Amino acid sequence: MCEAIGQFGPGLEPPTQDSLREKLLEEEYARTKSLLQEREAEKMKNGCSIMTDAWTDRKRRSIMNLCTNSADGTSFISSKEMSDVSHTSEVIFELVDKAIEDIGPENVVQVVTDNASNNMGAKKLLFEKRPNIFWTSCATHTINLMLQGIGNLARFKKVIEQAKAFTIFVYGHTRTLECMRHFTEGKEIVRPGVTRFASTFLTLSSILEKKDQLRKMVVHSRWDSLRDVKSKKGKDATTIILNPTFWKDVKQTVSVFEPLFRVLRLVDGDVKPSMGFIYGEILKAKREVKEALGNIESRFKEVIAVVDKKMKGRLDSPLHLTAYLLNPHYSYANPSIFDEPTITEGFISCVETFYYHDEDKQDQAAHVELRKFQNREGPFNKKLARTFQNFDYNPASWWRLYGTEVPALQKMATRILSLTSSASGCERNWSGFEAIHTKRRNRLTTTRLNKLVYIQFNSKLLNRREKIKSKKINDVLLSNETTEVQGFLHENGDDCALVVYRDEEEEEEMEGTGIPWSVLGDAVGAEEQLQLRRSARVRELYEGEEFESDKEEFDEDEDDYLEPY
């Protein structure tokens, strides 16, 4: 903008307030819509997903986001304030159903949400009206629950608490923090802003990378001369770093978390459609977890039980199983997949849903065309078709090229394998929403507010997609809630974190507390009160110009999604 003003030269007259609020806003809104036309064509060709999630901002406004996702990426539809209504299953169903109607029922393949009971109720209502549309659970949410569940196991919880105690002590005092930065050459242990998920894994990995530097620090005279180190907590922090068992446990915990974290990067990155890979990669992660624990059942039994429990009914639905079967990266590498009862039953169920009320297509896909795919008949046997061996290939494009002799199965495969498995892309405008609707701009009408958010959010998504295509951005986990790492910065830090995800199991655990899920963790009230709870070390991490993260590359545009301290 500044460059354009400079090119115009002196005498530029700025637009009037009325022009900004009306004419120019409408023009920019129309321009943004036109830029999304390519994605509209993709939706009509290969279908799309509708993603929805609700949140409560610091002004206690309850807001629900609606987005669509196709193979070309995520597009924002609208944000609706719902402070005056309860988030019942019926309300959610009506919002989703209207979005389906606006997009076109024939263009929507699935709806993706978290596992809250009201969403599951809406799922049942949608199935009654639109039995050919799938409703799936957010993979990012589910995998994060797996990591949390594993972290709560006694064998891992102890080392996590020790790591927290050390980081809380170091970041709680200016002198200890300066000493740590001296020995780590300015690099931080915790990296707020890197992720809203799996912060435990990232922090433990960061600590493990600095093992030699931290051990050297706590035996150096510079550390020993600090007054804070002579306190009980200081002595405990020193003992933790010098304890060989602590480092052994950190290494094992990281090795157990890492396979699942890689899957989390896949489903949260929005770099490529993940539906065709999520089930196969979780199976691979389970094998790697077993190997990390020596393939000894007594050692991995609890961990695998957590993964299976969170996965059941969420990431092993007929849609996930069918995507796994139709992705030759897995089924051609392991032909026994075609004979597994669980997989074949899921496939049949998926065919019945996808081609609802079309028994001819169901019979053709399940009884004729699947056999051709399994036996690699016709184009499936071409030499060029072996590109499936590369993990980075696009399975939907593969089916468009080589599935021409199996049209019913081809249509089903290209649509399913073009789907996302996560709703995390639906959240990336939350801080943007708050930045637009501030105390000074609280007279914005709902229509104008939605248009401003629509323009800002979709423009960022389009820019980010271009960077992904040009490979100038990594599929790192992006942050919306910087408070997610507070537990590693100060005591009781999780108290100020907003609840992003809900789960039926989590809701059962909260029964009797009297705390609504929408405001859990925000109970301190006013924004000013919340500000007082934040550690000065956290503000320093964000405001300091010399902050250097550990071997991470970030997209500069994504910083706008963060809530600044």
Side-chain angles (χ1 to χ4, degrees), residues 36 39-40 43 49 51 66-70 72-78 270 425 454 457-458 461-462:
L36 295 172
R39 294 187 180 182
E40 295 300 319
K43 290 174 189 176
S49 305
M51 307 183 298
L66 282 170
C67 295
T68 63
N69 179 279
S70 64
D72 285 337
T74 301
S75 302
F76 174 69
I77 302 176
S78 66
D270 199 25
Y454 181 92
F457 189 39
N458 280 317
L461 288 172
L462 288 167

Side-chain angles (χ1 to χ4, degrees), residues 285-394:
K286 287 169 66 175
R287 292 193 298 269
E288 292 178 351
V289 167
K290 292 178 181 179
E291 292 173 2
L293 295 174
N295 286 316
I296 301 174
E297 185 176 359
S298 59
R299 297 175 63 185
F300 67 69
K301 185 177 180 180
E302 282 185 320
V303 178
I304 299 301
V306 170
V307 175
D308 289 340
K309 180 181 178 182
K310 299 299 181 183
M311 184 177 181
K312 187 175 182 181
R314 297 165 181 163
L315 302 183
D316 59 355
S317 71
L319 187 63
H320 293 96
L321 296 175
T322 301
Y324 175 60
L325 176 70
L326 295 180
N327 189 343
H329 179 75
Y330 300 107
S331 53
Y332 279 0
N334 181 17
S336 64
I337 291 174
F338 291 98
D339 300 321
E340 292 184 20
T342 303
I343 305 296
T344 54
E345 288 172 10
F347 172 74
I348 292 171
S349 177
C350 185
V351 170
E352 291 174 343
T353 300
F354 191 88
Y355 287 117
Y356 193 76
H357 280 330
D358 193 338
E359 294 183 1
D360 290 339
K361 289 286 182 64
Q362 292 176 11
D363 179 71
Q364 187 71 14
H367 299 143
V368 180
E369 297 181 352
L370 180 64
R371 189 180 302 110
K372 291 184 178 180
F373 170 59
Q374 179 180 353
N375 296 332
R376 304 191 191 187
E377 297 178 10
F380 293 127
N381 196 39
K382 291 183 178 293
K383 185 177 180 180
L384 287 175
R386 298 184 184 276
T387 53
F388 65 80
Q389 296 171 347
N390 182 1
F391 181 79
D392 293 327
Y393 89 116
N394 187 326

Side-chain angles (χ1 to χ4, degrees), residues 38-216:
E38 183 180 337
R39 294 187 180 182
E40 295 300 319
E42 174 64 25
K43 290 174 189 176
M44 290 187 286
K45 182 180 179 181
N46 292 315
C48 68
S49 305
I50 289 180
M51 307 183 298
T52 178
D53 209 341
W55 66 295
T56 302
D57 68 6
R58 291 189 178 131
K59 299 178 183 67
R60 297 297 180 85
R61 295 172 302 180
S62 181
I63 299 164
M64 177 165 282
N65 283 352
L66 282 170
C67 295
T68 63
N69 179 279
S70 64
D72 285 337
T74 301
S75 302
F76 174 69
I77 302 176
S78 66
S79 282
K80 183 173 183 179
E81 185 173 350
M82 301 177 63
S83 304
D84 58 338
V85 296
S86 299
H87 293 192
T88 62
S89 299
E90 290 75 15
V91 170
I92 295 172
F93 162 71
E94 289 174 5
L95 283 172
V96 171
D97 189 59
K98 184 180 183 302
I100 293 173
E101 199 64 42
D102 292 342
I103 296 170
E106 68 282 358
N107 299 326
V108 179
V109 181
Q110 70 165 348
V111 178
V112 190
T113 65
D114 62 39
N115 303 303
S117 56
N118 52 356
N119 287 330
M120 295 302 101
K123 172 183 178 180
K124 295 177 182 177
L125 294 173
L126 184 71
F127 180 76
E128 292 174 3
K129 182 175 181 179
R130 305 184 190 275
N132 63 321
I133 295 180
F134 301 90
W135 190 302
T136 58
S137 298
C138 175
T140 304
H141 171 213
T142 303
I143 297 170
N144 195 47
L145 290 176
M146 292 178 186
L147 293 171
Q148 290 177 359
I150 295 171
N152 287 330
L153 295 176
R155 58 193 299 186
F156 302 112
K157 190 173 183 179
K158 180 181 177 181
V159 67
I160 291 172
E161 291 301 323
Q162 288 177 326
K164 282 184 178 181
F166 173 74
T167 54
I168 287 169
F169 173 74
V170 169
Y171 281 84
H173 307 279
T174 56
R175 291 173 291 274
T176 56
L177 181 58
E178 190 280 330
C179 185
M180 185 272 292
R181 286 173 174 166
H182 170 76
F183 281 92
T184 61
E185 299 179 348
K187 293 183 179 179
E188 303 291 342
I189 292 176
V190 294
R191 289 170 289 176
V194 176
T195 177
R196 62 185 174 279
F197 306 113
S199 57
T200 298
F201 167 79
L202 290 175
T203 303
L204 288 178
S205 297
S206 181
I207 290 174
L208 187 61
E209 290 171 3
K210 300 174 182 62
K211 175 182 176 180
D212 294 337
Q213 296 164 314
L214 294 176
R215 293 180 70 177
K216 181 179 178 181

